[in-house]
Each structure stands twice: as structure tokens, then as C-alpha cells.
């Protein structure tokens, strides 16, 4: 295989273009070229480590690499399309990490290199005989399709000649031929009993002159990077369902925010379908080393559009971070407005960059852009714009205060702030603006209650002082951020969900907490009183504490985690119940350094 491309350098203008949250096809092409170079380096290193003398797979690894090198010399453009496929990138990163950790070639899934070599040989029309692995009951050829095989099948080979291929599994040959769209098919459905060929599926959506053409990857064994439940293989009716969702989502996206469509069309190459029901929300994710790919669950038109936009932002930033050092990681975990658990600096930047585009989408939606199909009420779009914009602004400013940004990172985040400042915000009633601010504050308060722990000795001393009815003798309390099991975190507040439902005109559910119901109906003082009642009944209800802290009439400074910790300690020690407002005023003399974010 030839040497990877030389180091790609983005200009200051390229960085500024990406900092706006946008970026046209030319810049996306540069990011994609950078990914190809990275992939080639990964393949070279995998081959070097896995073909060491004495390894059982060494000779096969060298043979697979020879096929890749020959194909790359013959037709580099076609060969590198396979090498740059998102799930191939995910595999390569996982494989190399496994080898570097001391795992064997087999444990690190090195044999998948044979599947990549076979796909490249087919794509470039090479004649070769290539050993390919059976993984999870299928022989998968990236970008082409997969063959389901009988239980126990272990050995497979692809024999290719000019335009004809035989996939032989334990001596049974399955003939395959190229189709006009470049995938493979079993002629006349001619797979023997016990074998089923699943051709790769493609989705194509056209709207407002923008064409999105992607692989619907329901076959690759490395497609479920996040463990979110990738589905497949899909039958024709299921694939048509995904086509309909893509059509609706793409139409909505191009109708609301057409400026983002050219970049997405140029860079998005693969969609992995996730299980779930189209409840209007959906789930989506992007893998760091899977540039141009996204995983997404069934969703309504608006949620699907936002999923495409949001996840491609992550893909762009991943591509950028592989080329440019924007920051030096401090190894710490920080507050992120979009997560319930502490996140590294990279997570903060990713969240801010993704939601910069989402805020723009909601801004345009609130201003009246967007088709009727999949559109959301203007009030809901405006509320979401205000909430996203404030969260992005706070996060970017926190990143700039961190002292960890490099010069390129300072320029990049300055461009993000300029983008925010340059928007003409849609008109929004004062009450709705306040609610958007409330929800930003509530998330931060609830995050602190969940993840920040005050010093235990100081808490015990303060609880004793309160019980003895004397002034707080501790002037300052240290706190630490706890990085624990994300799945063990308490549930989210229902206030934001209720606000969304109310703004969307949906009926109020029956099982609503009294405080939440009062809040969404605009009765802040009534909500605060009901949250206090909930705290009396259940002192460990963090969502009630967060609701009260957001709606309490006295808005003096208070550290949520210290207030809750002292209140709990007083109760545990058998002291008199501490009225939250009295305790908050009593603790106002105690200094608590805010957690780093």
C-alpha cells in the first residue's frame, strides 16, 4: 500500500468556516481526506503488529494487506472508499487498541481485515482468493452485503475473477454478481439451503435540489459501536420504512435550514438503523472514528432532521480534531448542559458544537422557515432556541476560561461566540424566555446535586452547628466531582418534558407531580410551596430540590450540593427538620468553590 497522504493543513479560513457550525462541501472534503490518511496509517500499523513472526494469523494478515496494497495501486479512489467507510474506521480503531493492549490478533478481530480486503477486491475488480471471517453467523463484506451461514460454519473464502465471485463456506459455494448500483446479489436468489445473501441497501432522498445518498448499514458486525441496539438484517418493508423516515427528515431539514444540506450531502455516507418506535424523539449517536456515519432510531420528521444535523456536527468535529489540536485535555470531568454525568473537555466542545447547529435550526424554525410536515409550533421552536443558545454560550465561555484551549481552539471558540452573537433572535414572550433560563439553571442544579460531593467532615460540623443553633463555624467547604456509573444516576426532572408537551399543545398527563403542574401553568410561588411539601415527604427527591431551588422566591446564592448534604445529615443524626429556606440563609456565609466547568 502506498504511503498515506501527507499531513493535511486547514487554513485559518477553513477553521473559521467550520467555527460557524457550517462548512461547505470543499471543507468537508478536506476532513474526509484527513480521515482517509488516518485510516491508511491505522491499517499499516495493524498489519505491522498482527504479522509478527510466530502469530498464527501472520501469513494471512500479510496476504490481506497485499490485496489492499495492489488494489490501492490499481484504483486508489475506489479502494479508499471502502477503507474510509465509517464502520471500517470503527473496527480499525478498536482493533489497534486491542493489539496495543496485548490482546492476540484473533481477540482483536484482526480477521475482519480479510473482509475489508475482499470488499476492496470486488469494488476494484481484482482477481484474488481471499480468506474472510465468519462473525456472528454472517460473512460480511463492508459496503457490499453479507451472507448468513448455517450454525457452526467457520471457514470462508472469496474467489474472484472478472465480474464473477464465489463465496465458499465450508465447501459450499454461493455465486455472486455485481449489481448496477455497485453492490452484490445472488443471481436468481441462488443461495443454497441454509444460506441467505443480504445485499447492502442504500437510501436516497431528494428535496429542494439537495440529494442525500447513504448506505443503510444493517449488516456490518461493527456497526453497533455504542451498544444502542442496531437492527438487521432488514426486510424490504422495513427498509422502505427507513426510506420514508429519511425522506421526511431530509425534507424537513432542507426546508428549515437548507444551508447545512450541502455539507451533510457531501459528508454523510452511512446510516445505521437502531431499534425503537417512532415516538417523535428518536435516539442517535456518532462514533469518534466513524467519520460520515451515524446511528439513529425511528423518529418523526423533525426529530430525524435534528438527528441528521446534530450527529453530522459531531462527525465534522471528530474529523477536525484528528487534524488540529484545539485543546490540551486536563484529565478532569466537568459540567455539560446536555449530559447528566461529568464529561471531559472534548465532551463539552462536542456538545457545544452540535447544539450550535441545533440552536440555529430552531431559530430558523421559529422565524417561520420550514414545511408543514414535521414542523413544530413556533413557541416550542423559540423556547428550544433560547435554551440551546444559552447553554452553548455558557459552555463555550467555560471552555475559554479553562486555560486549556490552544491558539486554534481559542480562534475556533471565538468564531462560535461570534456566530451566536450575530443571530437575530426570534421574538419570544418574557415568560417563555424566563422558563428557558429556568430549564438551563435546573439542569445545572440537578447535575450538582447528583455529581458534586462536599467534604464530609465539613458537612458533619455544619450539621452539628445547625442542630445546636449556633452560627456556621466552617468558612469554606471543599467539593469534588464524582465520576460514577451513569446508569445509576437518579431520573431526570419531568418539568422540561411537560413544558414541551404544553408548548406542543398536547394534553397534560395524569401522573404529574403537583409542583411540576403548577410550574408549567405559570404559578411559580405555588410550585415552590408544593416542592417544599414534596421535600418534607421525601427528603431524597433530588428533582423536588431542583424544582424548589429554581422557583424559590428568595434567590440568594446557595450551593445546592451543600444545602442538600447538610439537610440530609441533620435528618440522619436525628436533629430537628431543617426548613430548606432557613437552612439556605444560614449557609450563605459558607464559601463553596463552584465545580470546574
Amino acid at each position: 500500500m502506498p504511503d498515506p497522504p501527507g499531513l493535511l493543513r486547514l487554513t485559518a479560513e477553513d477553521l473559521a468556516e467550520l467555527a460557524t457550525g457550517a462548512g461547505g462541501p470543499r471543507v468537508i472534503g478536506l476532513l474526509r481526506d484527513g480521515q482517509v490518511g488516518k485510516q491508511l496509517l491505522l491499517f499499516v500499523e495493524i498489519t505491522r503488529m498482527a504479522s509478527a513472526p510466530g502469530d498464527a494469523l501472520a501469513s494471512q494478515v500479510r496476504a490481506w494487506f497485499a490485496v489492499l496494497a495492489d488494489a490501492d495501486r490499481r484504483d486508489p479512489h475506489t479502494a479508499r472508499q471502502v477503507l474510509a467507510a465509517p464502520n471500517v474506521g470503527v473496527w480499525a480503531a478498536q482493533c489497534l487498541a486491542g493489539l496495543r493492549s496485548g490482546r492476540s490478533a484473533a481477540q482483536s478481530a484482526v480477521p475482519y481485515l480479510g473482509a475489508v480486503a475482499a470488499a476492496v477486491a470486488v469494488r476494484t475488480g481484482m482477481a484474488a482468493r481471499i480468506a474472510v471471517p465468519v462473525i456472528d453467523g454472517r460473512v460480511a463484506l463492508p459496503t457490499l452485503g453479507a451472507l448468513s451461514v448455517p450454525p457452526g460454519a467457520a471457514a470462508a473464502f472469496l474467489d474472484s475473477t472478472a465480474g464473477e465471485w464465489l463465496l465458499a463456506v465450508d465447501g459450499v459455494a454461493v455465486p455472486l454478481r455485481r449489481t448496477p448500483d455497485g453492490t452484490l446479489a445472488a443471481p436468481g436468489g441462488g443461495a443454497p439451503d441454509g444460506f441467505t445473501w443480504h445485499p447492502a441497501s442504500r437510501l436516497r432522498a431528494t428535496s429542494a435540489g439537495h440529494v442525500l445518498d447513504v448506505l443503510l448499514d444493517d449488516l456490518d458486525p461493527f456497526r453497533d459501536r455504542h451498544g444502542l441496539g442496531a437492527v438487521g438484517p432488514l426486510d424490504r418493508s422495513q427498509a422502505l420504512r427507513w426510506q420514508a423516515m429519511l425522506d421526511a427528515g431530509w425534507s424537513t431539514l432542507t426546508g428549515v435550514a437548507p444551508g447545512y444540506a450541502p455539507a451533510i450531502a457531501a459528508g454523510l455516507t452511512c446510516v445505521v438503523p437502531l431499534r425503537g418506535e417512532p415516538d417523535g424523539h428518536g435516539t442517535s449517536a456518532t462514533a469518534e472514528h466513524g467519520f460520515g456515519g451515524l446511528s439513529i432510531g425511528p423518529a418523526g420528521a423533525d426529530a430525524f432532521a435534528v438527528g441528521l444535523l446534530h450527529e453530522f456536527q459531531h462527525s465534522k468535529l471528530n474529523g477536525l480534531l484528528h487534524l488540529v489540536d484545539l485543546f490540551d485535555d486536563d484529565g478532569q470531568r466537568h459540567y455539560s448542559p446536555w449530559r447528566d454525568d461529568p464529561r471531559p473537555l472534548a465532551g463539552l466542545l462536542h456538545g457545544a458544537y452540535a447544539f450550535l447547529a441545533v440552536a440555529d435550526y430552531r431559530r430558523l424554525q421559529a422565524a417561520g422557515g420550514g414545511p408543514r410536515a414535521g414542523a413544530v409550533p413556533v413557541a416550542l421552536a423559540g423556547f428550544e432556541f433560547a435554551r440551546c443558545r444559552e447553554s452553548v454560550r455558557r459552555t463555550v465561555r467555560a471552555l475559554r476560561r479553562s486555560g486549556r484551549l490552544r491558539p486554534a481552539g481559542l480562534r475556533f471558540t471565538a468564531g462560535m461566540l461570534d456566530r451566536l452573537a450575530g443571530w437575530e433572535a426570534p421574538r419570544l414572550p418574557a415568560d417563555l424566555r424566563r422558563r428557558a433560563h429556568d430549564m438551563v439553571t435546573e439542569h445545572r442544579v440537578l447535575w450538582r446535586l447528583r455529581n458534586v460531593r462536599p467534604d464530609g467532615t465539613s458537612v458533619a460540623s455544619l450539621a452539628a452547628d445547625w442542630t445546636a443553633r449556633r452560627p456556621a463555624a466552617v468558612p469554606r467547604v471543599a467539593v469534588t466531582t464524582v465520576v460514577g456509573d451513569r446508569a445509576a444516576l437518579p431520573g431526570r426532572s419531568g418539568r422540561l418534558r411537560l413544558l414541551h408537551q404544553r408548548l406542543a399543545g398536547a394534553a397534560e398527563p395524569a401522573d404529574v407531580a403537583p409542583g411540576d403542574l403548577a410550574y408549567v401553568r405559570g404559578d411559580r410561588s405555588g410550585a415552590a410551596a408544593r416542592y417544599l411539601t414534596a421535600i418534607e415527604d421525601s427528603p431524597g427527591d433530588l428533582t423536588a430540590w431542583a424544582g424548589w431551588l429554581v422557583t424559590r422566591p428568595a434567590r440568594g446564592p446557595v450551593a445546592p450540593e451543600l444545602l442538600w448534604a447538610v439537610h440530609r445529615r441533620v435528618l440522619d443524626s436525628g436533629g430537628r427538620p431543617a426548613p430548606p429556606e432557613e437552612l439556605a440563609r444560614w449557609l450563605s456565609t459558607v464559601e463553596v468553590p463552584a465545580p470546574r466547568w
Side-chain angles (χ1 to χ4, degrees), residues 38 41-50 90-102 108 110:
K38 183 201 73 172
L41 290 172
L42 291 178
F43 273 79
V44 169
E45 185 64 8
I46 288 169
T47 301
R48 184 189 69 78
M49 295 189 69
V90 169
W91 163 78
Q94 290 180 342
C95 178
L96 187 56
L99 292 171
R100 286 175 171 170
S101 70
S108 302
V110 168

Side-chain angles (χ1 to χ4, degrees), residues 33 79 128 147 166 170 194 201 210 228 263 304 310 381 512 579:
D33 290 345
L147 181 72
L166 286 177
D170 290 345
S201 300
H210 300 288
L228 295 175
F304 207 96
H310 177 121
V512 179

Side-chain angles (χ1 to χ4, degrees), residues 106-179:
Q107 291 171 327
S108 302
V110 168
Y112 183 77
L113 182 63
V116 177
V120 168
V122 172
R123 287 285 188 193
T124 58
M126 286 180 58
R129 188 169 196 267
I130 305 166
V132 289
V134 178
I135 303 175
D136 297 332
R138 286 199 290 268
V139 178
L141 303 181
T143 76
L144 294 172
L147 181 72
S148 294
V149 301
F157 291 88
L158 178 76
D159 284 297
S160 64
T161 57
E164 297 275 344
W165 292 270
L166 286 177
L167 193 53
V169 183
D170 290 345
V172 178
V174 179
L176 299 172
R177 290 182 181 173
R178 288 284 294 273
T179 62

Side-chain angles (χ1 to χ4, degrees), residues 43-69:
F43 273 79
V44 169
E45 185 64 8
I46 288 169
T47 301
R48 184 189 69 78
M49 295 189 69
S51 59
D55 193 298
L57 288 174
S59 61
Q60 279 193 341
V61 169
R62 288 192 291 270
W64 291 329
F65 189 76
V67 170
L68 294 175

Side-chain angles (χ1 to χ4, degrees), residues 217 223-224 227-232 272-275 295:
D217 197 339
R223 69 192 187 281
D224 199 5
L228 295 175
V231 297
V272 173
L274 302 176
R275 62 170 170 256
S295 301

Side-chain angles (χ1 to χ4, degrees), residues 54-368:
D55 193 298
L57 288 174
S59 61
Q60 279 193 341
V61 169
R62 288 192 291 270
W64 291 329
F65 189 76
V67 170
L68 294 175
D70 191 14
D72 197 73
R73 284 190 293 269
R74 292 167 177 260
D75 187 351
H77 175 74
T78 301
R80 293 180 183 191
Q81 284 183 324
V82 177
L83 298 183
N87 293 324
V88 172
V90 169
W91 163 78
Q94 290 180 342
C95 178
L96 187 56
L99 292 171
R100 286 175 171 170
S101 70
R103 295 180 181 177
S104 68
Q107 291 171 327
S108 302
V110 168
Y112 183 77
L113 182 63
V116 177
V120 168
V122 172
R123 287 285 188 193
T124 58
M126 286 180 58
R129 188 169 196 267
I130 305 166
V132 289
V134 178
I135 303 175
D136 297 332
R138 286 199 290 268
V139 178
L141 303 181
T143 76
L144 294 172
L147 181 72
S148 294
V149 301
F157 291 88
L158 178 76
D159 284 297
S160 64
T161 57
E164 297 275 344
W165 292 270
L166 286 177
L167 193 53
V169 183
D170 290 345
V172 178
V174 179
L176 299 172
R177 290 182 181 173
R178 288 284 294 273
T179 62
D181 64 1
T183 62
L184 289 178
D193 290 343
F195 296 82
T196 304
W197 175 253
H198 308 279
S201 300
R202 298 201 68 84
L203 303 179
R204 181 181 174 90
T206 302
S207 178
H210 300 288
V211 179
L212 181 62
D213 189 336
V214 296
L215 173 71
L216 180 65
D217 197 339
D218 57 335
L219 301 168
D220 193 273
F222 293 93
R223 69 192 187 281
D224 199 5
R225 169 66 179 84
H226 297 276
L228 295 175
V231 297
L234 302 177
D235 60 30
R236 178 170 173 75
S237 64
Q238 292 170 322
L240 289 174
R241 180 188 181 202
W242 282 93
Q243 178 65 67
M245 284 189 287
L246 184 69
D247 285 338
W250 188 239
S251 176
T252 299
L253 177 59
T254 57
V256 174
Y260 291 90
I264 296 175
L268 184 64
T269 60
C270 175
V271 170
V272 173
L274 302 176
R275 62 170 170 256
E277 294 299 324
D279 57 1
H281 302 290
T283 300
S284 61
T286 302
E288 177 186 354
H289 296 282
F291 181 82
L294 69 88
S295 301
I296 191 166
D302 181 72
F304 207 96
V306 171
L308 292 173
L309 177 62
H310 177 121
E311 298 304 339
F312 191 66
Q313 291 295 103
H314 286 307
S315 208
K316 282 194 296 184
L317 186 57
N318 282 328
L320 176 62
L321 290 174
H322 290 149
L323 293 175
V324 180
D325 290 325
L326 298 182
F327 60 89
D328 295 310
D329 193 357
D330 58 3
Q332 303 297 313
R333 295 295 184 268
H334 310 268
Y335 169 69
S336 167
W338 305 283
R339 292 283 292 253
D340 297 332
D341 54 334
R343 301 292 292 157
L345 285 175
L348 268 65
L349 183 58
H350 264 284
Y353 191 65
F355 279 95
L356 177 68
V358 173
D360 193 17
Y361 175 89
R362 294 301 185 199
R363 176 184 70 88
L364 294 167
Q365 204 169 39

